[in-house]
Amino acid sequence: AGTDSKPSATAAKSLIKEQSEALLSFLLQKEATAARGVGAVSKASLISETKRTTELMCELLDAFIGLDDPRLFTLAALTPTFSACMQSKNEGIRERVHGLVQRMFKGPLSDRIKSEGKSPVATKKKVATPTPAEVTETVPPIADESSEES
């Protein structure tokens, strides 16, 4: 059983990374579309899709936050994906990511930072993690098109 665990763990990490990147990419695409207010999708559908994708991303990040340090640190390859989440317009996502990245730089990435002599991440005031209800309230607003003619 010991010989099978390493390949399956590697495959699981790869799957987690790929799916996390795909979800993030989809979220950023939805936010960009919402900001531009263009496309064939209705405004209500776009709001709903963006809200649900934001909720899914928050749930995923909360799951990562809930991991103990040794398990989280095995996912150090996700750090670039976490960093890319900072592009999100959703403050709840950015706050979660900030905390995760700080944990990563205190753990497996701390030796790299020390050897390169760089500061890991800017310190940020501790903010309470929003509840799922609060997350749905912070979905990025869509430009008001009522004053524009379609």
Side-chain angles (χ1 to χ4, degrees), residues 11-150:
K13 287 179 197 176
S14 178
L15 179 64
I16 290 168
K17 186 175 187 305
E18 289 171 13
Q19 293 302 307
S20 297
E21 289 171 350
L23 181 59
L24 170 64
S25 176
F26 186 73
L27 173 62
L28 294 177
Q29 176 189 9
K30 288 296 170 191
E31 287 180 346
T33 301
R36 288 191 313 266
V38 297
V41 178
S42 73
K43 187 175 181 177
S45 292
L46 190 55
I47 291 170
S48 177
E49 287 176 2
T50 304
K51 179 179 173 181
R52 183 61 186 139
T53 306
T54 300
E55 290 169 351
L56 289 171
M57 194 71 207
C58 287
E59 288 173 17
L60 178 63
L61 292 170
D62 287 342
F64 289 137
I65 290 167
L67 293 174
D68 59 17
D69 285 348
R71 286 198 174 107
L72 177 64
F73 296 162
T74 64
L75 300 172
L78 282 172
T79 303
T81 304
F82 293 153
S83 297
C85 286
M86 294 305 283
Q87 297 173 34
S88 174
K89 294 176 180 12
N90 184 279
E91 186 175 351
I93 288 176
R94 293 191 312 269
E95 289 173 354
R96 285 169 171 86
V97 168
H98 182 78
L100 281 168
V101 171
Q102 282 190 320
R103 277 179 66 193
M104 296 302 282
F105 279 106
K106 288 178 183 174
L109 301 177
S110 64
D111 292 337
R112 184 185 313 168
I113 296 303
K114 289 175 188 171
S115 67
E116 294 176 4
K118 295 179 182 175
S119 173
V121 284
T123 54
K124 185 176 177 182
K125 183 173 75 173
K126 178 81 174 155
V127 179
T129 303
T131 66
E134 292 170 329
V135 168
T136 59
E137 294 170 3
T138 60
V139 172
I142 296 186
D144 184 14
E145 296 176 0
S146 61
S147 60
E148 300 174 7
E149 292 186 46
S150 297

